[in-house]
Amino acid sequence: MRRFLLILGLAAIVVVAGAVVYLMWDLDWRWRPHTVTKHQAEIAQALDQSGWVSPHLTGPKVYVVLYQGCEPCQTQLPAAIAKLQAADVDTRMIAIARADKNGQALSTSQDRSLTAELWTNRSWKLFQQTFPAVAAAPASPTARVAPPLTPPADGDAARSAVIEVGRQLATTLGAQLKDNGVSFGYPTLVWWTKDGKMRACACTSPQSLGFVEKELGA
């Protein structure tokens, strides 16, 4: 009987310990960003040379990879971007027009046109018009905004090439971040801490974005 009670007690301890570990993972560990230790130079160069747009603030920089229609971008990013910009963080937005998958288009002709224009002319004003909620533009995020008139990318070799450069960036960055334990998604954020560490996460939740805000002083 004593042996049975001992086994039962040990089993209860294991169950409780497992529950605590799972709770810690669910509430904290799973959302934490990762420190990037591999491919640092390649990642930094690729991000810097991409077609990012920003309000050109003077504080730390954070690169944000996103696409038009990305649900977490529209629901989770707005508050975080506003806080980061209020803390003088330069939010460098990299728009991607996603490639087709299994014969299905994941971007519209308008998405491709706007993305090519953002990469070509690097206009923050255009980004605010294109992503009014994400960019914390003055207009109401729920207001219907007429899409800006931009030259079409489809049928234009130069602009189509720009679109492909963005897609290749996402593909390469995804593989490089995977080597650092980061599962690429939208939005993916890459930044540097005060002590110079490169950090990254697929920040699809308020918890993940909370870590970004904290590390960048927002």
Side-chain angles (χ1 to χ4, degrees), residues 1 6 9 30 38 56 64 78 88 125 159 162 165 179 185 212:
M1 184 65 178
L6 178 61
R30 67 184 292 195
K38 301 176 182 178
H56 295 286
V64 183
D88 204 34
K125 182 178 180 180
R159 287 178 176 268
V162 169
V165 171
D179 287 344
V212 181

Coordinates of all heavy atoms in Angstrom, one line a residue, residues 1 6 9 30 38 56 64 78 88 125 159 162 165 179 185 212:
M1 N 0.8 -1.2 0.0 CA 0.0 0.0 0.0 C 0.9 1.3 0.0 O 0.6 2.2 -0.7 CB -0.9 0.0 1.2 CG -1.9 1.2 1.3 SD -3.1 1.1 -0.1 CE -4.1 2.5 0.3
L6 N 3.3 5.9 -2.7 CA 4.5 6.5 -3.2 C 4.5 6.8 -4.7 O 4.9 7.8 -5.1 CB 5.8 5.7 -2.7 CG 7.1 6.3 -3.1 CD1 7.3 7.6 -2.5 CD2 8.3 5.3 -2.7
G9 N 2.1 9.4 -5.5 CA 2.6 10.7 -5.2 C 3.6 11.2 -6.2 O 3.6 12.4 -6.6
R30 N 7.2 30.4 -25.4 CA 6.9 30.2 -26.9 C 6.9 31.5 -27.6 O 7.0 31.5 -28.9 CB 5.6 29.5 -27.0 CG 4.4 30.3 -26.6 CD 3.1 29.5 -26.6 NE 2.7 29.3 -28.0 CZ 1.4 28.9 -28.3 NH1 0.5 28.7 -27.4 NH2 1.1 28.7 -29.6
K38 N 23.7 33.1 -36.4 CA 24.2 32.6 -37.7 C 23.7 33.5 -38.8 O 22.6 34.0 -38.8 CB 23.7 31.2 -38.0 CG 24.1 30.2 -36.9 CD 23.5 28.8 -37.2 CE 23.9 27.8 -36.1 NZ 23.3 26.5 -36.3
H56 N 11.9 57.5 -41.0 CA 13.3 58.0 -40.8 C 13.4 58.7 -39.5 O 13.9 59.8 -39.3 CB 13.6 59.0 -41.9 CG 13.7 58.3 -43.3 ND1 14.8 57.5 -43.7 CD2 12.9 58.4 -44.3 CE1 14.5 57.1 -44.9 NE2 13.4 57.6 -45.3
V64 N 10.6 45.2 -40.5 CA 9.3 44.5 -40.4 C 8.9 44.0 -41.8 O 8.7 44.8 -42.7 CB 8.2 45.4 -39.9 CG1 6.9 44.6 -39.7 CG2 8.6 46.1 -38.6
P78 N -0.5 47.4 -35.5 CA -0.8 48.9 -35.3 C -0.4 49.4 -34.0 O 0.3 50.5 -33.9 CB -2.3 49.0 -35.6 CG -2.6 47.8 -36.5 CD -1.7 46.7 -36.0
D88 N 10.8 56.7 -30.7 CA 11.8 57.1 -31.7 C 12.5 55.9 -32.5 O 13.6 56.1 -33.0 CB 12.9 58.0 -31.1 CG 13.6 58.9 -32.1 OD1 12.9 59.3 -33.1 OD2 14.8 59.2 -32.0
K125 N 4.9 58.0 -47.3 CA 3.6 58.4 -47.5 C 2.7 57.4 -48.3 O 1.6 57.1 -47.9 CB 3.5 59.8 -48.3 CG 2.1 60.3 -48.5 CD 2.2 61.7 -49.3 CE 0.8 62.2 -49.5 NZ 0.8 63.5 -50.2
R159 N 9.7 46.2 -63.1 CA 8.9 46.1 -61.9 C 8.6 44.7 -61.5 O 8.6 44.4 -60.3 CB 7.6 46.9 -62.0 CG 7.8 48.4 -62.1 CD 6.6 49.3 -62.3 NE 6.9 50.7 -62.2 CZ 6.8 51.4 -61.1 NH1 6.4 50.8 -59.9 NH2 7.1 52.7 -61.1
V162 N 11.6 43.5 -59.6 CA 11.6 44.1 -58.2 C 10.8 43.2 -57.3 O 11.2 42.8 -56.2 CB 11.1 45.5 -58.2 CG1 10.9 46.0 -56.8 CG2 12.1 46.4 -58.9
V165 N 12.7 40.1 -56.5 CA 13.8 40.3 -55.5 C 13.2 40.3 -54.1 O 13.8 39.7 -53.2 CB 14.4 41.7 -55.8 CG1 15.4 42.1 -54.6 CG2 15.2 41.7 -57.1
D179 N 17.8 28.6 -39.4 CA 19.0 28.1 -38.8 C 19.2 28.7 -37.4 O 20.1 28.2 -36.6 CB 20.2 28.5 -39.7 CG 20.3 27.7 -41.0 OD1 19.6 26.6 -41.0 OD2 21.0 28.1 -41.9
G185 N 7.5 33.9 -40.6 CA 6.0 34.1 -40.8 C 5.8 35.6 -41.1 O 6.8 36.4 -41.2
V212 N 9.4 42.7 -28.2 CA 10.1 43.7 -29.1 C 10.0 45.1 -28.5 O 11.0 45.8 -28.5 CB 9.4 43.6 -30.5 CG1 10.1 44.6 -31.4 CG2 9.4 42.2 -31.1

